[in-house]
Amino acid sequence: MATLLHIDSAVFPQGSASREITASFVQAWQEQHPEGAVVYRDLAATPLPHLDFAAVSAGIENALRAELASELEAADAVVIGAPMYNFTIPSTLKAWLDQVIVVGHNAGPDGPVAGTPVTVVASRGGSYAPGTPREDYEFVQNYLEKVLTGMLGAEVDFIVPELTLARSKPEMAELIPLADASRAKALDEAAQKGKALAARLVA
């Protein structure tokens, strides 16, 4: 039996692109592997405290950090909803990363998380793809790829739904067809990746 750790960080409980797509991933995972387990954390509904001196000093002896680290280390795969807020990840997701990465315990290329497949749904209201005017403002994929691979040794994959604000901003109306296509592609990728990953882990 494989375990999937599902993390959402979007502040909006409804109408969130990242939540919709992580849910599609989880649904496909469960359909492929119904006897598997899904552990869920909603970082917006139940935010974690920011890392402080006491927690850093205690390391893995800190109860919260130990719980989060054990949860991550027990997962066979992880899916993370990471919407772009002010060009980077939500502070709640950063707090989770700061708490869960414990240097001397699970950080490093040979740590207990090394090789774990992590799928990140990096949604954004506009487009920050290579060649776009705001390419240099992209600090979601760049950051998460570095921290998840560089510090945890995870195997990271991204699903990137773009232009999610097109239907709510009149000035983006002409981009609605592109936004709809991006959403459809992301949902399809999530379903395919969730199914394929479950099949791979239980093979």
Side-chain angles (χ1 to χ4, degrees):
M1 183 183 79
T3 298
L4 174 68
L5 175 59
H6 173 196
I7 296 174
D8 278 328
S9 61
V11 298
F12 301 103
Q14 304 294 330
S16 160
S18 65
R19 286 179 183 272
E20 178 187 31
I21 293 161
T22 59
S24 177
F25 184 101
V26 173
Q27 181 180 350
W29 165 283
Q30 292 176 316
E31 289 173 354
Q32 179 69 31
H33 185 37
E35 67 274 22
V38 177
V39 176
Y40 182 56
R41 275 196 180 269
D42 186 335
L43 300 177
T46 310
L48 297 170
H50 289 293
L51 199 60
D52 58 18
F53 175 76
V56 172
S57 300
I60 200 62
E61 299 304 316
N62 177 274
L64 175 61
R65 301 191 79 190
E67 175 188 351
L68 295 171
S70 294
E71 195 172 78
L72 175 61
E73 292 156 22
D76 298 288
V78 183
V79 61
I80 300 173
M84 178 185 280
Y85 293 159
N86 298 320
F87 309 125
T88 190
I89 63 173
S91 62
T92 51
L93 181 54
K94 180 62 165 62
W96 178 79
L97 289 165
D98 288 342
Q99 294 282 7
V100 82
I101 299 173
V102 184
V103 175
H105 174 70
N106 58 14
D110 300 317
V113 185
T116 300
V118 178
T119 303
V120 178
V121 178
S123 60
R124 60 277 316 273
S127 178
Y128 301 81
T132 61
R134 287 198 162 184
E135 175 184 356
D136 291 345
Y137 289 76
E138 207 295 313
F139 299 107
V140 174
Q141 284 179 265
N142 290 338
Y143 169 70
L144 289 176
E145 193 276 330
K146 294 296 186 292
V147 74
L148 293 171
T149 61
M151 294 200 72
L152 292 172
E155 175 192 305
V156 183
D157 189 27
F158 287 93
I159 299 172
V160 187
E162 297 190 314
L163 306 169
T164 62
L165 292 176
R167 288 190 172 275
S168 61
K169 289 188 172 293
E171 64 271 26
M172 295 179 67
E174 65 180 18
L175 299 174
I176 288 175
L178 291 176
D180 289 348
S182 181
R183 174 179 175 271
K185 180 175 182 289
L187 286 168
D188 183 61
E189 285 182 354
Q192 290 188 28
K193 290 175 188 291
K195 181 178 180 180
L197 190 54
R200 167 185 149 190
L201 290 172
V202 300

